[in-house]
mmCIF file with all atom_site columns, all heavy atoms in Angstrom:
data_model
loop_
_atom_site.group_PDB
_atom_site.id
_atom_site.type_symbol
_atom_site.label_atom_id
_atom_site.label_alt_id
_atom_site.label_comp_id
_atom_site.label_asym_id
_atom_site.label_entity_id
_atom_site.label_seq_id
_atom_site.pdbx_PDB_ins_code
_atom_site.Cartn_x
_atom_site.Cartn_y
_atom_site.Cartn_z
_atom_site.occupancy
_atom_site.B_iso_or_equiv
_atom_site.pdbx_formal_charge
_atom_site.auth_seq_id
_atom_site.auth_comp_id
_atom_site.auth_asym_id
_atom_site.auth_atom_id
_atom_site.pdbx_PDB_model_num
ATOM 1   N N   . LEU W 1 64 ? 97.343  124.788 60.111 1.00 98.00 ? 64 LEU W N   1
ATOM 2   C CA  . LEU W 1 64 ? 96.029  125.327 59.962 1.00 98.00 ? 64 LEU W CA  1
ATOM 3   C C   . LEU W 1 64 ? 95.008  124.886 61.068 1.00 98.00 ? 64 LEU W C   1
ATOM 4   O O   . LEU W 1 64 ? 94.243  125.672 61.512 1.00 98.00 ? 64 LEU W O   1
ATOM 5   C CB  . LEU W 1 64 ? 95.367  125.043 58.564 1.00 98.00 ? 64 LEU W CB  1
ATOM 6   C CG  . LEU W 1 64 ? 96.086  125.577 57.460 1.00 98.00 ? 64 LEU W CG  1
ATOM 7   C CD1 . LEU W 1 64 ? 95.568  125.149 56.129 1.00 98.00 ? 64 LEU W CD1 1
ATOM 8   C CD2 . LEU W 1 64 ? 95.989  127.165 57.555 1.00 98.00 ? 64 LEU W CD2 1
ATOM 9   N N   . PHE W 1 65 ? 95.218  123.705 61.615 1.00 95.00 ? 65 PHE W N   1
ATOM 10  C CA  . PHE W 1 65 ? 94.426  123.283 62.748 1.00 95.00 ? 65 PHE W CA  1
ATOM 11  C C   . PHE W 1 65 ? 94.851  124.140 63.984 1.00 95.00 ? 65 PHE W C   1
ATOM 12  O O   . PHE W 1 65 ? 94.049  124.503 64.799 1.00 95.00 ? 65 PHE W O   1
ATOM 13  C CB  . PHE W 1 65 ? 94.573  121.823 63.125 1.00 95.00 ? 65 PHE W CB  1
ATOM 14  C CG  . PHE W 1 65 ? 93.409  121.022 62.724 1.00 95.00 ? 65 PHE W CG  1
ATOM 15  C CD1 . PHE W 1 65 ? 93.099  120.696 61.380 1.00 95.00 ? 65 PHE W CD1 1
ATOM 16  C CD2 . PHE W 1 65 ? 92.496  120.507 63.636 1.00 95.00 ? 65 PHE W CD2 1
ATOM 17  C CE1 . PHE W 1 65 ? 92.069  119.919 61.063 1.00 95.00 ? 65 PHE W CE1 1
ATOM 18  C CE2 . PHE W 1 65 ? 91.350  119.840 63.306 1.00 95.00 ? 65 PHE W CE2 1
ATOM 19  C CZ  . PHE W 1 65 ? 91.087  119.576 61.981 1.00 95.00 ? 65 PHE W CZ  1
ATOM 20  N N   . THR W 1 66 ? 96.090  124.440 64.102 1.00 94.00 ? 66 THR W N   1
ATOM 21  C CA  . THR W 1 66 ? 96.621  125.308 65.178 1.00 94.00 ? 66 THR W CA  1
ATOM 22  C C   . THR W 1 66 ? 95.939  126.677 65.109 1.00 94.00 ? 66 THR W C   1
ATOM 23  O O   . THR W 1 66 ? 95.503  127.174 66.034 1.00 94.00 ? 66 THR W O   1
ATOM 24  C CB  . THR W 1 66 ? 98.174  125.452 65.057 1.00 94.00 ? 66 THR W CB  1
ATOM 25  O OG1 . THR W 1 66 ? 98.777  124.206 65.235 1.00 94.00 ? 66 THR W OG1 1
ATOM 26  C CG2 . THR W 1 66 ? 98.705  126.447 66.130 1.00 94.00 ? 66 THR W CG2 1
ATOM 27  N N   . ILE W 1 67 ? 95.966  127.247 63.894 1.00 96.00 ? 67 ILE W N   1
ATOM 28  C CA  . ILE W 1 67 ? 95.223  128.523 63.694 1.00 96.00 ? 67 ILE W CA  1
ATOM 29  C C   . ILE W 1 67 ? 93.826  128.494 63.936 1.00 96.00 ? 67 ILE W C   1
ATOM 30  O O   . ILE W 1 67 ? 93.265  129.301 64.676 1.00 96.00 ? 67 ILE W O   1
ATOM 31  C CB  . ILE W 1 67 ? 95.565  129.027 62.212 1.00 96.00 ? 67 ILE W CB  1
ATOM 32  C CG1 . ILE W 1 67 ? 97.014  129.383 62.058 1.00 96.00 ? 67 ILE W CG1 1
ATOM 33  C CG2 . ILE W 1 67 ? 94.671  130.159 61.827 1.00 96.00 ? 67 ILE W CG2 1
ATOM 34  C CD1 . ILE W 1 67 ? 97.378  129.637 60.569 1.00 96.00 ? 67 ILE W CD1 1
ATOM 35  N N   . GLY W 1 68 ? 93.163  127.355 63.548 1.00 95.00 ? 68 GLY W N   1
ATOM 36  C CA  . GLY W 1 68 ? 91.739  127.165 63.830 1.00 95.00 ? 68 GLY W CA  1
ATOM 37  C C   . GLY W 1 68 ? 91.470  127.171 65.278 1.00 95.00 ? 68 GLY W C   1
ATOM 38  O O   . GLY W 1 68 ? 90.511  127.766 65.776 1.00 95.00 ? 68 GLY W O   1
ATOM 39  N N   . SER W 1 69 ? 92.237  126.509 66.023 1.00 91.00 ? 69 SER W N   1
ATOM 40  C CA  . SER W 1 69 ? 92.090  126.367 67.500 1.00 91.00 ? 69 SER W CA  1
ATOM 41  C C   . SER W 1 69 ? 92.229  127.673 68.156 1.00 91.00 ? 69 SER W C   1
ATOM 42  O O   . SER W 1 69 ? 91.480  128.099 69.028 1.00 91.00 ? 69 SER W O   1
ATOM 43  C CB  . SER W 1 69 ? 92.920  125.349 68.129 1.00 91.00 ? 69 SER W CB  1
ATOM 44  O OG  . SER W 1 69 ? 94.274  125.655 68.051 1.00 91.00 ? 69 SER W OG  1
ATOM 45  N N   . ALA W 1 70 ? 93.198  128.469 67.646 1.00 92.00 ? 70 ALA W N   1
ATOM 46  C CA  . ALA W 1 70 ? 93.347  129.836 68.207 1.00 92.00 ? 70 ALA W CA  1
ATOM 47  C C   . ALA W 1 70 ? 92.210  130.783 67.904 1.00 92.00 ? 70 ALA W C   1
ATOM 48  O O   . ALA W 1 70 ? 91.743  131.563 68.796 1.00 92.00 ? 70 ALA W O   1
ATOM 49  C CB  . ALA W 1 70 ? 94.700  130.507 67.669 1.00 92.00 ? 70 ALA W CB  1
ATOM 50  N N   . LEU W 1 71 ? 91.697  130.634 66.653 1.00 93.00 ? 71 LEU W N   1
ATOM 51  C CA  . LEU W 1 71 ? 90.601  131.401 66.294 1.00 93.00 ? 71 LEU W CA  1
ATOM 52  C C   . LEU W 1 71 ? 89.268  131.026 66.956 1.00 93.00 ? 71 LEU W C   1
ATOM 53  O O   . LEU W 1 71 ? 88.361  131.863 67.272 1.00 93.00 ? 71 LEU W O   1
ATOM 54  C CB  . LEU W 1 71 ? 90.363  131.427 64.775 1.00 93.00 ? 71 LEU W CB  1
ATOM 55  C CG  . LEU W 1 71 ? 91.384  132.133 63.997 1.00 93.00 ? 71 LEU W CG  1
ATOM 56  C CD1 . LEU W 1 71 ? 91.244  131.769 62.491 1.00 93.00 ? 71 LEU W CD1 1
ATOM 57  C CD2 . LEU W 1 71 ? 91.443  133.630 64.241 1.00 93.00 ? 71 LEU W CD2 1
ATOM 58  N N   . ALA W 1 72 ? 89.193  129.738 67.321 1.00 90.00 ? 72 ALA W N   1
ATOM 59  C CA  . ALA W 1 72 ? 87.943  129.184 67.994 1.00 90.00 ? 72 ALA W CA  1
ATOM 60  C C   . ALA W 1 72 ? 87.853  129.454 69.510 1.00 90.00 ? 72 ALA W C   1
ATOM 61  O O   . ALA W 1 72 ? 86.909  129.214 70.125 1.00 90.00 ? 72 ALA W O   1
ATOM 62  C CB  . ALA W 1 72 ? 87.865  127.622 67.796 1.00 90.00 ? 72 ALA W CB  1
ATOM 63  N N   . ALA W 1 73 ? 89.002  130.049 70.011 1.00 86.00 ? 73 ALA W N   1
ATOM 64  C CA  . ALA W 1 73 ? 89.022  130.242 71.383 1.00 86.00 ? 73 ALA W CA  1
ATOM 65  C C   . ALA W 1 73 ? 88.670  131.721 71.720 1.00 86.00 ? 73 ALA W C   1
ATOM 66  O O   . ALA W 1 73 ? 88.988  132.670 71.033 1.00 86.00 ? 73 ALA W O   1
ATOM 67  C CB  . ALA W 1 73 ? 90.516  130.094 71.961 1.00 86.00 ? 73 ALA W CB  1
ATOM 68  N N   . ASP W 1 74 ? 87.855  131.921 72.839 1.00 82.00 ? 74 ASP W N   1
ATOM 69  C CA  . ASP W 1 74 ? 87.482  133.219 73.290 1.00 82.00 ? 74 ASP W CA  1
ATOM 70  C C   . ASP W 1 74 ? 88.765  133.844 73.853 1.00 82.00 ? 74 ASP W C   1
ATOM 71  O O   . ASP W 1 74 ? 89.286  133.338 74.933 1.00 82.00 ? 74 ASP W O   1
ATOM 72  C CB  . ASP W 1 74 ? 86.381  133.173 74.304 1.00 82.00 ? 74 ASP W CB  1
ATOM 73  C CG  . ASP W 1 74 ? 85.907  134.468 74.828 1.00 82.00 ? 74 ASP W CG  1
ATOM 74  O OD1 . ASP W 1 74 ? 86.687  135.398 74.794 1.00 82.00 ? 74 ASP W OD1 1
ATOM 75  O OD2 . ASP W 1 74 ? 84.704  134.615 75.194 1.00 82.00 ? 74 ASP W OD2 1
ATOM 76  N N   . PRO W 1 75 ? 89.247  134.872 73.313 1.00 78.00 ? 75 PRO W N   1
ATOM 77  C CA  . PRO W 1 75 ? 90.486  135.469 73.830 1.00 78.00 ? 75 PRO W CA  1
ATOM 78  C C   . PRO W 1 75 ? 90.418  135.981 75.292 1.00 78.00 ? 75 PRO W C   1
ATOM 79  O O   . PRO W 1 75 ? 91.408  136.188 75.936 1.00 78.00 ? 75 PRO W O   1
ATOM 80  C CB  . PRO W 1 75 ? 90.891  136.562 72.864 1.00 78.00 ? 75 PRO W CB  1
ATOM 81  C CG  . PRO W 1 75 ? 89.618  136.818 72.111 1.00 78.00 ? 75 PRO W CG  1
ATOM 82  C CD  . PRO W 1 75 ? 88.735  135.659 72.204 1.00 78.00 ? 75 PRO W CD  1
ATOM 83  N N   . GLU W 1 76 ? 89.234  136.258 75.718 1.00 75.00 ? 76 GLU W N   1
ATOM 84  C CA  . GLU W 1 76 ? 89.045  136.730 77.133 1.00 75.00 ? 76 GLU W CA  1
ATOM 85  C C   . GLU W 1 76 ? 88.687  135.772 78.169 1.00 75.00 ? 76 GLU W C   1
ATOM 86  O O   . GLU W 1 76 ? 88.887  135.899 79.360 1.00 75.00 ? 76 GLU W O   1
ATOM 87  C CB  . GLU W 1 76 ? 87.991  137.887 77.045 1.00 75.00 ? 76 GLU W CB  1
ATOM 88  C CG  . GLU W 1 76 ? 88.450  139.052 76.242 1.00 75.00 ? 76 GLU W CG  1
ATOM 89  C CD  . GLU W 1 76 ? 87.370  140.055 76.070 1.00 75.00 ? 76 GLU W CD  1
ATOM 90  O OE1 . GLU W 1 76 ? 86.380  140.082 76.862 1.00 75.00 ? 76 GLU W OE1 1
ATOM 91  O OE2 . GLU W 1 76 ? 87.509  140.935 75.192 1.00 75.00 ? 76 GLU W OE2 1
ATOM 92  N N   . LYS W 1 77 ? 88.205  134.504 77.691 1.00 74.00 ? 77 LYS W N   1
ATOM 93  C CA  . LYS W 1 77 ? 87.728  133.505 78.653 1.00 74.00 ? 77 LYS W CA  1
ATOM 94  C C   . LYS W 1 77 ? 88.436  132.204 78.642 1.00 74.00 ? 77 LYS W C   1
ATOM 95  O O   . LYS W 1 77 ? 88.402  131.457 79.597 1.00 74.00 ? 77 LYS W O   1
ATOM 96  C CB  . LYS W 1 77 ? 86.210  133.400 78.452 1.00 74.00 ? 77 LYS W CB  1
ATOM 97  C CG  . LYS W 1 77 ? 85.377  134.560 78.865 1.00 74.00 ? 77 LYS W CG  1
ATOM 98  C CD  . LYS W 1 77 ? 83.977  134.313 78.823 1.00 74.00 ? 77 LYS W CD  1
ATOM 99  C CE  . LYS W 1 77 ? 83.152  135.468 79.345 1.00 74.00 ? 77 LYS W CE  1
ATOM 100 N NZ  . LYS W 1 77 ? 81.781  135.252 79.204 1.00 74.00 ? 77 LYS W NZ  1
ATOM 101 N N   . SER W 1 78 ? 89.009  131.883 77.469 1.00 66.00 ? 78 SER W N   1
ATOM 102 C CA  . SER W 1 78 ? 89.654  130.564 77.393 1.00 66.00 ? 78 SER W CA  1
ATOM 103 C C   . SER W 1 78 ? 90.845  130.438 78.222 1.00 66.00 ? 78 SER W C   1
ATOM 104 O O   . SER W 1 78 ? 91.839  131.227 78.114 1.00 66.00 ? 78 SER W O   1
ATOM 105 C CB  . SER W 1 78 ? 90.041  130.233 75.892 1.00 66.00 ? 78 SER W CB  1
ATOM 106 O OG  . SER W 1 78 ? 90.579  128.961 75.867 1.00 66.00 ? 78 SER W OG  1
ATOM 107 N N   . LYS W 1 79 ? 90.939  129.432 79.062 1.00 68.00 ? 79 LYS W N   1
ATOM 108 C CA  . LYS W 1 79 ? 92.118  129.125 79.869 1.00 68.00 ? 79 LYS W CA  1
ATOM 109 C C   . LYS W 1 79 ? 92.827  127.858 79.411 1.00 68.00 ? 79 LYS W C   1
ATOM 110 O O   . LYS W 1 79 ? 93.824  127.477 79.911 1.00 68.00 ? 79 LYS W O   1
ATOM 111 C CB  . LYS W 1 79 ? 91.660  128.920 81.407 1.00 68.00 ? 79 LYS W CB  1
ATOM 112 C CG  . LYS W 1 79 ? 90.838  130.021 81.956 1.00 68.00 ? 79 LYS W CG  1
ATOM 113 C CD  . LYS W 1 79 ? 91.698  130.987 82.676 1.00 68.00 ? 79 LYS W CD  1
ATOM 114 C CE  . LYS W 1 79 ? 90.851  132.009 83.461 1.00 68.00 ? 79 LYS W CE  1
ATOM 115 N NZ  . LYS W 1 79 ? 90.505  133.121 82.713 1.00 68.00 ? 79 LYS W NZ  1
ATOM 116 N N   . MET W 1 80 ? 92.388  127.285 78.339 1.00 65.00 ? 80 MET W N   1
ATOM 117 C CA  . MET W 1 80 ? 92.821  126.083 77.757 1.00 65.00 ? 80 MET W CA  1
ATOM 118 C C   . MET W 1 80 ? 94.119  126.374 77.075 1.00 65.00 ? 80 MET W C   1
ATOM 119 O O   . MET W 1 80 ? 94.349  127.344 76.396 1.00 65.00 ? 80 MET W O   1
ATOM 120 C CB  . MET W 1 80 ? 91.786  125.512 76.717 1.00 65.00 ? 80 MET W CB  1
ATOM 121 C CG  . MET W 1 80 ? 92.195  124.212 76.126 1.00 65.00 ? 80 MET W CG  1
ATOM 122 S SD  . MET W 1 80 ? 90.906  123.737 74.917 1.00 65.00 ? 80 MET W SD  1
ATOM 123 C CE  . MET W 1 80 ? 90.777  122.034 75.278 1.00 65.00 ? 80 MET W CE  1
ATOM 124 N N   . LYS W 1 81 ? 95.187  125.429 77.340 1.00 68.00 ? 81 LYS W N   1
ATOM 125 C CA  . LYS W 1 81 ? 96.446  125.487 76.625 1.00 68.00 ? 81 LYS W CA  1
ATOM 126 C C   . LYS W 1 81 ? 96.273  125.049 75.225 1.00 68.00 ? 81 LYS W C   1
ATOM 127 O O   . LYS W 1 81 ? 95.671  123.956 74.884 1.00 68.00 ? 81 LYS W O   1
ATOM 128 C CB  . LYS W 1 81 ? 97.437  124.586 77.385 1.00 68.00 ? 81 LYS W CB  1
ATOM 129 C CG  . LYS W 1 81 ? 98.754  124.462 76.647 1.00 68.00 ? 81 LYS W CG  1
ATOM 130 C CD  . LYS W 1 81 ? 99.642  125.625 76.888 1.00 68.00 ? 81 LYS W CD  1
ATOM 131 C CE  . LYS W 1 81 ? 101.034 125.321 76.356 1.00 68.00 ? 81 LYS W CE  1
ATOM 132 N NZ  . LYS W 1 81 ? 101.537 126.329 75.546 1.00 68.00 ? 81 LYS W NZ  1
ATOM 133 N N   . LEU W 1 82 ? 96.558  125.940 74.220 1.00 71.00 ? 82 LEU W N   1
ATOM 134 C CA  . LEU W 1 82 ? 96.431  125.696 72.809 1.00 71.00 ? 82 LEU W CA  1
ATOM 135 C C   . LEU W 1 82 ? 97.769  125.622 72.207 1.00 71.00 ? 82 LEU W C   1
ATOM 136 O O   . LEU W 1 82 ? 98.716  126.123 72.646 1.00 71.00 ? 82 LEU W O   1
ATOM 137 C CB  . LEU W 1 82 ? 95.589  126.816 72.222 1.00 71.00 ? 82 LEU W CB  1
ATOM 138 C CG  . LEU W 1 82 ? 94.223  126.993 72.722 1.00 71.00 ? 82 LEU W CG  1
ATOM 139 C CD1 . LEU W 1 82 ? 93.565  128.323 72.128 1.00 71.00 ? 82 LEU W CD1 1
ATOM 140 C CD2 . LEU W 1 82 ? 93.353  125.813 72.388 1.00 71.00 ? 82 LEU W CD2 1
ATOM 141 N N   . PRO W 1 83 ? 97.784  124.879 71.073 1.00 73.00 ? 83 PRO W N   1
ATOM 142 C CA  . PRO W 1 83 ? 99.070  124.756 70.337 1.00 73.00 ? 83 PRO W CA  1
ATOM 143 C C   . PRO W 1 83 ? 99.578  126.147 69.873 1.00 73.00 ? 83 PRO W C   1
ATOM 144 O O   . PRO W 1 83 ? 98.682  126.984 69.574 1.00 73.00 ? 83 PRO W O   1
ATOM 145 C CB  . PRO W 1 83 ? 98.811  123.784 69.179 1.00 73.00 ? 83 PRO W CB  1
ATOM 146 C CG  . PRO W 1 83 ? 97.282  123.714 69.064 1.00 73.00 ? 83 PRO W CG  1
ATOM 147 C CD  . PRO W 1 83 ? 96.799  124.131 70.346 1.00 73.00 ? 83 PRO W CD  1
ATOM 148 N N   . ASP W 1 84 ? 100.819 126.285 69.683 1.00 88.00 ? 84 ASP W N   1
ATOM 149 C CA  . ASP W 1 84 ? 101.382 127.609 69.214 1.00 88.00 ? 84 ASP W CA  1
ATOM 150 C C   . ASP W 1 84 ? 101.766 127.562 67.829 1.00 88.00 ? 84 ASP W C   1
ATOM 151 O O   . ASP W 1 84 ? 102.266 126.581 67.267 1.00 88.00 ? 84 ASP W O   1
ATOM 152 C CB  . ASP W 1 84 ? 102.673 127.921 70.064 1.00 88.00 ? 84 ASP W CB  1
ATOM 153 C CG  . ASP W 1 84 ? 102.370 128.273 71.542 1.00 88.00 ? 84 ASP W CG  1
ATOM 154 O OD1 . ASP W 1 84 ? 101.279 128.787 71.740 1.00 88.00 ? 84 ASP W OD1 1
ATOM 155 O OD2 . ASP W 1 84 ? 103.225 128.122 72.331 1.00 88.00 ? 84 ASP W OD2 1
ATOM 156 N N   . LEU W 1 85 ? 101.598 128.676 67.182 1.00 93.00 ? 85 LEU W N   1
ATOM 157 C CA  . LEU W 1 85 ? 102.202 128.953 65.885 1.00 93.00 ? 85 LEU W CA  1
ATOM 158 C C   . LEU W 1 85 ? 103.552 129.625 66.129 1.00 93.00 ? 85 LEU W C   1
ATOM 159 O O   . LEU W 1 85 ? 103.674 130.470 66.948 1.00 93.00 ? 85 LEU W O   1
ATOM 160 C CB  . LEU W 1 85 ? 101.289 129.869 65.087 1.00 93.00 ? 85 LEU W CB  1
ATOM 161 C CG  . LEU W 1 85 ? 101.450 130.040 63.632 1.00 93.00 ? 85 LEU W CG  1
ATOM 162 C CD1 . LEU W 1 85 ? 101.289 128.695 62.890 1.00 93.00 ? 85 LEU W CD1 1
ATOM 163 C CD2 . LEU W 1 85 ? 100.450 131.078 63.063 1.00 93.00 ? 85 LEU W CD2 1
ATOM 164 N N   . LEU W 1 86 ? 104.521 129.253 65.403 1.00 95.00 ? 86 LEU W N   1
ATOM 165 C CA  . LEU W 1 86 ? 105.923 129.692 65.631 1.00 95.00 ? 86 LEU W CA  1
ATOM 166 C C   . LEU W 1 86 ? 106.496 130.450 64.384 1.00 95.00 ? 86 LEU W C   1
ATOM 167 O O   . LEU W 1 86 ? 106.058 130.135 63.322 1.00 95.00 ? 86 LEU W O   1
ATOM 168 C CB  . LEU W 1 86 ? 106.831 128.546 66.018 1.00 95.00 ? 86 LEU W CB  1
ATOM 169 C CG  . LEU W 1 86 ? 106.416 127.651 67.122 1.00 95.00 ? 86 LEU W CG  1
ATOM 170 C CD1 . LEU W 1 86 ? 107.336 126.444 67.301 1.00 95.00 ? 86 LEU W CD1 1
ATOM 171 C CD2 . LEU W 1 86 ? 106.351 128.479 68.449 1.00 95.00 ? 86 LEU W CD2 1
ATOM 172 N N   . GLU W 1 87 ? 107.531 131.265 64.624 1.00 96.00 ? 87 GLU W N   1
ATOM 173 C CA  . GLU W 1 87 ? 108.201 131.880 63.568 1.00 96.00 ? 87 GLU W CA  1
ATOM 174 C C   . GLU W 1 87 ? 108.764 130.907 62.538 1.00 96.00 ? 87 GLU W C   1
ATOM 175 O O   . GLU W 1 87 ? 108.856 131.060 61.392 1.00 96.00 ? 87 GLU W O   1
ATOM 176 C CB  . GLU W 1 87 ? 109.322 132.814 64.039 1.00 96.00 ? 87 GLU W CB  1
ATOM 177 C CG  . GLU W 1 87 ? 108.880 134.076 64.741 1.00 96.00 ? 87 GLU W CG  1
ATOM 178 C CD  . GLU W 1 87 ? 108.488 135.207 63.793 1.00 96.00 ? 87 GLU W CD  1
ATOM 179 O OE1 . GLU W 1 87 ? 108.677 135.085 62.600 1.00 96.00 ? 87 GLU W OE1 1
ATOM 180 O OE2 . GLU W 1 87 ? 107.902 136.145 64.213 1.00 96.00 ? 87 GLU W OE2 1
ATOM 181 N N   . ALA W 1 88 ? 109.183 129.749 63.228 1.00 97.00 ? 88 ALA W N   1
ATOM 182 C CA  . ALA W 1 88 ? 109.793 128.609 62.412 1.00 97.00 ? 88 ALA W CA  1
ATOM 183 C C   . ALA W 1 88 ? 108.808 128.102 61.371 1.00 97.00 ? 88 ALA W C   1
ATOM 184 O O   . ALA W 1 88 ? 109.255 127.634 60.236 1.00 97.00 ? 88 ALA W O   1
ATOM 185 C CB  . ALA W 1 88 ? 110.270 127.566 63.284 1.00 97.00 ? 88 ALA W CB  1
ATOM 186 N N   . ASP W 1 89 ? 107.545 128.202 61.740 1.00 97.00 ? 89 ASP W N   1
ATOM 187 C CA  . ASP W 1 89 ? 106.464 127.698 60.690 1.00 97.00 ? 89 ASP W CA  1
ATOM 188 C C   . ASP W 1 89 ? 106.422 128.680 59.394 1.00 97.00 ? 89 ASP W C   1
ATOM 189 O O   . ASP W 1 89 ? 106.246 128.113 58.362 1.00 97.00 ? 89 ASP W O   1
ATOM 190 C CB  . ASP W 1 89 ? 105.088 127.730 61.382 1.00 97.00 ? 89 ASP W CB  1
ATOM 191 C CG  . ASP W 1 89 ? 105.022 126.763 62.558 1.00 97.00 ? 89 ASP W CG  1
ATOM 192 O OD1 . ASP W 1 89 ? 105.588 125.621 62.494 1.00 97.00 ? 89 ASP W OD1 1
ATOM 193 O OD2 . ASP W 1 89 ? 104.452 127.160 63.530 1.00 97.00 ? 89 ASP W OD2 1
#
Side-chain angles (χ1 to χ4, degrees):
L64 290 174
F65 255 79
T66 297
I67 289 170
S69 65
L71 293 170
D74 183 332
E76 297 176 15
K77 292 188 178 178
S78 177
K79 307 269 190 268
M80 183 181 221
K81 172 80 172 128
L82 297 173
D84 289 333
L85 195 60
L86 306 173
E87 287 281 349
D89 299 318

